Amino acid sequence: MRIYHSLFTVSKFRTVFDFGEREVAHWFPGHMAKGLKQMRASLRKVDCIIEIHDARIPFSGRNPLFQESLDVRPHLLILNKMDLADTSGKQRILNQLKREGVRNVLYTDCLRQRDDNVKKIVPLVTDLIEGGPRFHREEEGQYCLMVIGVPNVGKSSLINALRRMNLKKGKASRVGGEPGITKAVLTKIQVSERPVMHLLDTPGVLPPKIESVETGMKLALCGTILDHLVGEDVIADYLLFSLNRLERFGYVERYDLGEPSDDIQHVLKRIALKLGKTQRVKAITGVGDVTITVPNYTAAAYDFIRAFRKGELGKVMLD
Ligand SMILES: Nc1nc2c(ncn2[C@@H]2O[C@H](COP(=O)(O)OP(=O)(O)OP(=O)(O)O)[C@@H](O)[C@H]2O)c(=O)[nH]1
């Protein structure tokens, strides 16, 4: 990959992103918070909470709403999608998390067939549970875990990876439901024999905590908020801003741009032309109608965002 002169970075790129008058209040649809109450009820039956979040945003958007339940039980933070994250500053992140009281952290890639860190989860969780008092549940002799996190961070993928690795069979055997647990979290999946450990097979979906427009934009970039609520055009612009800020210039060659640019209209136009995403529109002129070809900016924005989410524009750390 070509190295672009850092002078370019200093002189031509925006140093701050103009978020305008955007309102984040509607970026998380209210109905998604509905599950929280249900989740709180089932948390009482849980010995360890596995919170999963996107490794590209270890701080942004994590929801502390369940924290009161955490006081009495161990908590493991899984930073997933590590294959998409720039983990060179891992120690800084672990230190900051520690200062915030988050001590148990594992990085995972749940799509990898055999991820060594996914393998570490059951032994680590066992240590955590056995190292602390199990209020109310001392008599049961079985451990129950719950996976929680904001949308699209890989909760289901983690559950599948745990099943794949620990059950050594394609499909998990289901164990009977318990009265008093809502239907949505009725099913438990065994993930370990010694000690007997179950996982509630329906993960808890938390609404992301969107404390600022920038947090919202990072969450959107990682696919945690529905794109259309934020707007693909502004997500694409924030992506361009972020790639330039992080000096991830893979997009320049991918889309034959020649040199980095900070102008999203210019970049999207080049993407559209490169990918053949153009539209023919009729224009009325003084001498009659003519058909002209114009770039499809929306389709180009989609491609740009999708390429980023697949890791094709390089690994990043957005926090
Ligand atoms: N690159 C990468 N992608 C992943 C990883 N884990 C999950 N994904 C992808 O992320 C997307 C979301 O994964 P899910 O497991 O459905 O996430 P979820 O948290 O259960 O999503 P919701 O049901 O929307 O709350 C899917 O496209 C997965 O293939 C990972 O470790 N790396």
Side-chain angles (χ1 to χ4, degrees), residues 80-81 83-84 108-111 151-157 205:
N80 189 40
K81 307 198 184 184
D83 53 309
L84 304 178
T108 56
D109 170 1
C110 286
L111 298 190
N152 213 37
V153 288
K155 296 180 294 298
S156 305
S157 305
V205 183

Side-chain angles (χ1 to χ4, degrees), residues 32 52 54 56 79-85 108-112 115 118 147-160 203-206 222-224 309-311:
M32 296 196 76
I52 177 163
D54 193 307
R56 291 167 292 182
L79 292 174
N80 189 40
K81 307 198 184 184
M82 69 176 288
D83 53 309
L84 304 178
T108 56
D109 170 1
C110 286
L111 298 190
R112 209 163 53 193
D115 182 282
V118 172
V147 174
I148 60 172
V150 307
N152 213 37
V153 288
K155 296 180 294 298
S156 305
S157 305
L158 175 69
I159 292 174
N160 289 337
V205 183
L206 292 166
C222 294
T224 295
R309 289 183 183 152
K310 281 201 240 150

Side-chain angles (χ1 to χ4, degrees), residues 290-317:
V290 290
T291 305
I292 53 169
T293 303
V294 295
N296 184 339
Y297 287 97
T298 309
Y302 258 123
D303 189 87
F304 192 37
I305 296 167
R306 207 171 35 234
F308 166 75
R309 289 183 183 152
K310 281 201 240 150
E312 291 168 2
L313 302 180
K315 298 180 180 212
V316 297
M317 174 50 58

Side-chain angles (χ1 to χ4, degrees), residues 231-249:
E232 288 82 3
D233 51 345
V234 67
I235 300 175
D237 193 17
Y238 186 71
L239 170 57
L240 181 63
F241 167 77
S242 303
L243 292 174
N244 288 334
R245 179 175 63 86
L246 298 168
E247 301 188 16
R248 290 283 177 275
F249 296 124

Side-chain angles (χ1 to χ4, degrees), residues 128-157:
L128 291 175
I129 297 174
E130 292 180 354
R134 295 177 67 220
F135 295 97
H136 322 304
R137 313 198 58 236
E138 222 87 45
E139 72 291 351
E140 282 195 24
Q142 294 192 357
Y143 300 144
C144 179
L145 325 179
M146 190 185 201
V147 174
I148 60 172
V150 307
N152 213 37
V153 288
K155 296 180 294 298
S156 305
S157 305

Side-chain angles (χ1 to χ4, degrees), residues 79-286:
L79 292 174
N80 189 40
K81 307 198 184 184
M82 69 176 288
D83 53 309
L84 304 178
D86 170 10
T87 50
S88 56
K90 190 172 170 184
Q91 203 47 53
R92 168 187 70 88
I93 288 156
L94 293 178
N95 290 344
Q96 190 171 332
L97 285 168
K98 202 168 174 182
R99 281 196 294 277
E100 292 176 10
V102 183
R103 281 176 169 52
N104 310 301
V105 185
L106 277 180
Y107 280 82
T108 56
D109 170 1
C110 286
L111 298 190
R112 209 163 53 193
Q113 270 305 309
R114 299 203 63 76
D115 182 282
D116 284 342
N117 280 350
V118 172
K119 246 196 269 175
K120 289 182 191 159
I121 294 176
V122 166
L124 179 57
V125 163
T126 307
D127 284 352
L128 291 175
I129 297 174
E130 292 180 354
R134 295 177 67 220
F135 295 97
H136 322 304
R137 313 198 58 236
E138 222 87 45
E139 72 291 351
E140 282 195 24
Q142 294 192 357
Y143 300 144
C144 179
L145 325 179
M146 190 185 201
V147 174
I148 60 172
V150 307
N152 213 37
V153 288
K155 296 180 294 298
S156 305
S157 305
L158 175 69
I159 292 174
N160 289 337
L162 280 168
R163 289 171 177 178
R164 209 168 49 228
M165 260 176 226
N166 295 315
L167 297 176
K168 310 249 176 344
K169 29 181 151 153
K171 233 176 171 242
S173 46
R174 298 191 153 195
V175 297
E178 280 176 35
I181 299 186
T182 350
K183 199 156 176 37
V185 288
L186 194 67
T187 316
K188 298 198 292 181
I189 306 292
Q190 187 164 357
V191 289
S192 163
E193 197 53 56
R194 240 179 261 152
V196 177
M197 196 178 281
H198 295 104
L199 198 74
L200 295 180
D201 93 327
T202 308
V205 183
L206 292 166
K209 183 167 183 272
I210 311 177
E211 58 212 354
S212 66
V213 185
E214 178 144 36
T215 297
M217 212 62 87
K218 290 178 185 178
L219 286 161
L221 208 45
C222 294
T224 295
I225 300 175
L226 291 174
D227 291 343
H228 70 266
L229 294 178
V230 181
E232 288 82 3
D233 51 345
V234 67
I235 300 175
D237 193 17
Y238 186 71
L239 170 57
L240 181 63
F241 167 77
S242 303
L243 292 174
N244 288 334
R245 179 175 63 86
L246 298 168
E247 301 188 16
R248 290 283 177 275
F249 296 124
Y251 71 92
V252 177
E253 271 160 58
R254 180 185 170 99
Y255 299 117
D256 289 340
L257 283 163
E259 61 175 5
S261 167
D262 206 14
D263 177 351
I264 190 65
Q265 292 305 316
H266 169 70
V267 172
L268 291 182
K269 187 174 176 180
R270 297 296 294 265
I271 294 175
L273 294 177
K274 162 106 180 150
L275 303 178
K277 296 193 185 294
T278 51
Q279 290 165 310
R280 290 174 71 72
V281 294
K282 212 184 252 180
I284 302 161
T285 70

